[in-house]
Amino acid sequence: MKMTEEQRKAMRITVDYTNMTDKYLGDKGYSAKQLDSYKYTAKVAHEYVTDNRGKDELFMGWTELPYNQKEIVADILETAKAVRKKFEYFVVLGIGGSALGPTMAFNALCHLHYNDLPKSKRKGPKFFVEDNVDPVRMKELLDIIDPAKTCFNVISKSGATSETMAQYLIISDILKAKGLSIKDHMIFTTDASRGNLVKISKELGGVKSYILPDGVGGRFSQLCPVGLLPAAVLGIDIKTLLQGAAYMDKLCRGSHDFRKNPALLCATLQYAAMKDGKNIGVLMPYSDNLRYVSDWYAQLWAESLGKNVTLDKKPCNVGQTPVKALGVTDQHSQVQLYTEGPYDKVVTFLSVTSYKEKTPIPHGCENIPDVSFLGGHTMEELIQAENKATAYALTKAGRLNYTITLPEVNEFTLGQLLFLFELQTAYAGAMFNIDTFNQPGVEAGKKATFALLGKHGYEAQKEELDQADSDPAYVV
């Protein structure tokens, strides 16, 4: 749906950093002068991201995804229509960003009990994301789906992701055993011309495939076919999702003044907090629809910023540990720590102005004041009051916090939010002068796994790992 400028403005998400300032936190907050000291750093970061937009060699192709996928989106919509018509189940086989993004969008924009709805009330097939290699998980997925009625979306750029390809081998073996065509039951999302899934597709006579672009890393891939295909199958409006991302890009691209650029503001606040020893960043949505945004964000933030060397090869060890919390749930589990524990955190609230349901609370228990005061209000009022109260309590305790507000949760606002977080991450990485888009620490673990399972070429590392078994002296 094409939105007017007035509609876009009405759905604009905002960032309120009142509770990061000395006006409300005293000496625990930042003065205007302190924040101004980061103006130049923010300007340089903004220029770096702007100057390198779209450069595949720097893995910044994600910046152009809101604009360069018209034909791809049209093809995805046709494929999604066919999948909805033919299949009762749609299963994503992937890990990392290939799984977190589709899960997050599904939870945000579909009914919270989507898979439990009768077919007549769902916009698409039942949806599952297999993002682990726990053997129990795979077995129990197969207890509830019928492979003959399932489309499997295999997502791996290289086709060498051990977890995803183990899943592929299991599913393809089941399909063959049932006399079913692998080609007819699978869609690949992979590299354009290289990698194992390209080879497999050719061997199978051409599996329907979508491209994971060269300049788009896994954690930045939700707005390309990795995330767009599953979303479209579920009936999510992917065109409006991309419009939301483009709108946030427009808000941020034109200004290096962090007070006028929402993503640069968030990056500057987090950078200042990290410089001040706030090494834990809590993301706390007050919406069950947004709870998996925290999981998606945790990978984006941790994998992008956790680095031990700068671009000019100087040792660093930077980054901030992301922690996911859910309001109101985690007021009853984590907020005690945030309010009275160490001063090592900054809390980001995700708030919603208008929920898609209000749910009135009836009057009752009139002789019990602790209960009766709730009558006549709505659950929307209650969750919003608890959100405001938690921010107030943290502020009174001198704890850094700020709020990102979505007017409502829909495709346009989610697109904005995702692009804001992606730009925030790119800006923050530029501030630290690190490679925001690699993940050498992840690769080390992958290689050790290859060695342990006897992959050719890793024999020396296998021998080293065999010698590094637990010392019985330290096993209790």
Side-chain angles (χ1 to χ4, degrees):
M1 180 186 74
K2 191 72 174 175
M3 299 175 70
T4 66
E5 184 61 26
E6 185 176 344
Q7 289 173 321
R8 288 193 288 268
K9 286 181 178 178
M11 286 293 114
R12 176 177 175 170
I13 68 176
T14 59
V15 182
D16 181 350
Y17 66 107
T18 301
N19 296 340
M20 297 287 285
T21 66
D22 60 348
K23 182 176 180 180
Y24 291 87
L25 290 177
D27 61 5
K28 296 292 194 299
Y30 295 108
S31 67
K33 183 177 180 181
Q34 285 175 304
L35 290 177
D36 283 343
S37 70
Y38 293 105
K39 272 187 173 182
Y40 179 73
T41 302
K43 179 177 181 291
V44 171
H46 182 267
E47 288 174 349
Y48 178 84
V49 172
T50 300
D51 291 347
N52 291 293
R53 289 181 63 96
K55 292 186 178 179
D56 287 348
E57 65 274 20
L58 296 178
F59 273 84
M60 289 189 67
W62 58 271
T63 57
E64 302 309 305
L65 292 176
Y67 311 106
N68 62 7
Q69 299 187 95
K70 185 176 180 180
E71 292 181 4
I72 295 168
V73 165
D75 189 274
I76 286 173
L77 291 174
E78 285 300 312
T79 298
K81 183 179 178 181
V83 168
R84 287 197 298 272
K85 185 177 180 179
K86 182 177 180 182
F87 296 103
E88 293 185 15
Y89 308 92
F90 188 84
V91 178
V92 169
L93 304 180
I95 199 163
S98 302
L100 289 167
T103 299
M104 173 268 299
F106 170 55
N107 188 78
L109 299 172
C110 294
H111 191 289
L112 288 173
H113 299 283
Y114 173 91
N115 282 346
D116 296 324
L117 291 172
K119 188 174 182 180
S120 61
K121 293 187 177 181
R122 282 186 277 110
K123 291 184 178 180
K126 291 187 177 183
F127 182 68
F128 301 93
V129 179
E130 290 303 294
D131 67 344
N132 207 345
V133 287
D134 184 325
V136 176
R137 181 179 181 134
M138 175 58 75
K139 168 61 172 64
E140 295 185 355
L141 170 72
L142 294 169
D143 287 340
I144 60 170
I145 68 167
D146 179 355
K149 300 176 181 178
T150 304
C151 179
F152 298 90
N153 182 199
V154 186
I155 307 176
S156 172
K157 186 168 182 62
S158 65
T161 309
S162 297
E163 299 86 356
T164 303
M165 297 314 294
Q167 295 168 345
Y168 167 79
L169 289 170
I170 291 167
I171 297 300
S172 60
D173 189 60
I174 290 171
L175 293 173
K176 284 187 286 187
K178 291 179 176 291
L180 299 169
S181 165
I182 296 173
K183 177 182 173 182
D184 291 343
H185 285 267
M186 287 193 174
I187 299 173
F188 293 166
T189 306
T190 190
D191 188 83
S193 58
R194 304 182 302 273
N196 296 322
L197 286 175
V198 175
K199 296 176 186 176
I200 293 169
S201 176
K202 290 178 180 177
E203 290 171 1
L204 294 173
V207 176
K208 177 66 179 178
S209 299
Y210 288 99
I211 294 169
L212 204 172
D214 285 340
V216 180
R219 56 190 179 272
F220 288 84
S221 66
Q222 174 56 23
L223 297 175
C224 78
V226 167
L228 296 181
L229 174 63
V233 167
L234 292 164
I236 292 168
D237 184 348
I238 60 175
K239 289 183 178 179
T240 301
L241 189 72
L242 290 169
Q243 287 174 29
Y247 184 63
M248 178 53 62
D249 186 40
K250 177 184 175 183
L251 294 176
C252 298
R253 195 193 296 205
S255 179
H256 59 70
D257 181 348
F258 62 79
R259 289 186 175 88
K260 297 178 181 178
N261 178 329
L264 191 58
L265 171 61
C266 292
T268 302
L269 294 173
Q270 294 285 6
Y271 180 75
M274 283 184 267
K275 285 291 189 179
D276 198 30
K278 306 299 187 291
N279 294 318
I280 297 172
V282 180
L283 185 62
M284 193 168 186
Y286 272 74
S287 163
D288 271 61
N289 285 112
L290 298 177
R291 70 183 304 163
Y292 288 106
V293 171
S294 296
D295 294 70
W296 173 83
Y297 173 81
Q299 184 203 13
L300 179 72
W301 197 240
E303 203 165 76
S304 296
L305 298 189
K307 302 296 161 59
N308 66 1
V309 65
T310 64
L311 288 172
D312 46 3
K313 307 305 179 185
K314 294 179 181 177
C316 53
N317 297 114
V318 298
Q320 185 189 60
T321 302
V323 172
K324 54 188 180 182
L326 177 66
V328 169
T329 301
D330 288 314
Q331 287 175 209
H332 297 268
S333 64
Q334 298 181 31
V335 167
Q336 172 64 34
L337 173 67
Y338 303 161
T339 306
E340 296 188 2
Y343 287 89
D344 59 356
K345 303 171 191 69
V346 55
V347 178
T348 306
F349 294 108
L350 295 184
S351 301
V352 178
T353 302
S354 179
Y355 293 75
K356 64 183 178 182
E357 303 292 343
K358 311 302 179 187
T359 311
I361 302 172
H363 289 284
C365 300
E366 301 300 338
N367 61 331
I368 306 175
D370 288 345
V371 179
S372 62
F373 81 98
L374 294 167
H377 293 290
T378 65
M379 291 190 79
E380 180 185 70
E381 287 179 274
L382 178 58
I383 195 170
Q384 289 171 336
E386 299 224 37
N387 187 173
K388 186 174 181 179
T390 303
Y392 170 79
L394 288 174
T395 303
K396 290 288 286 184
R399 311 303 170 124
L400 296 172
N401 66 94
Y402 65 97
T403 298
I404 300 172
T405 300
L406 289 72
E408 60 185 54
V409 179
N410 59 36
E411 286 91 341
F412 189 72
T413 58
L414 185 67
Q416 287 182 72
L417 184 66
L418 301 186
F419 214 73
L420 181 148
F421 280 144
E422 290 178 350
L423 283 171
Q424 169 193 318
T425 302
Y427 291 144
M431 290 175 179
F432 279 115
N433 190 35
I434 57 172
D435 187 336
T436 312
F437 307 104
N438 68 356
Q439 55 270 348
V442 178
E443 298 304 318
K446 287 182 180 179
K447 292 175 181 177
T449 301
F450 295 159
L452 286 168
L453 293 180
K455 184 175 180 180
H456 178 69
Y458 292 84
E459 291 80 9
Q461 193 167 4
K462 172 71 164 62
E463 185 177 344
E464 181 183 338
L465 284 162
D466 286 344
Q467 294 171 356
D469 284 342
S470 298
D471 187 331
Y474 298 97
V475 179
V476 178

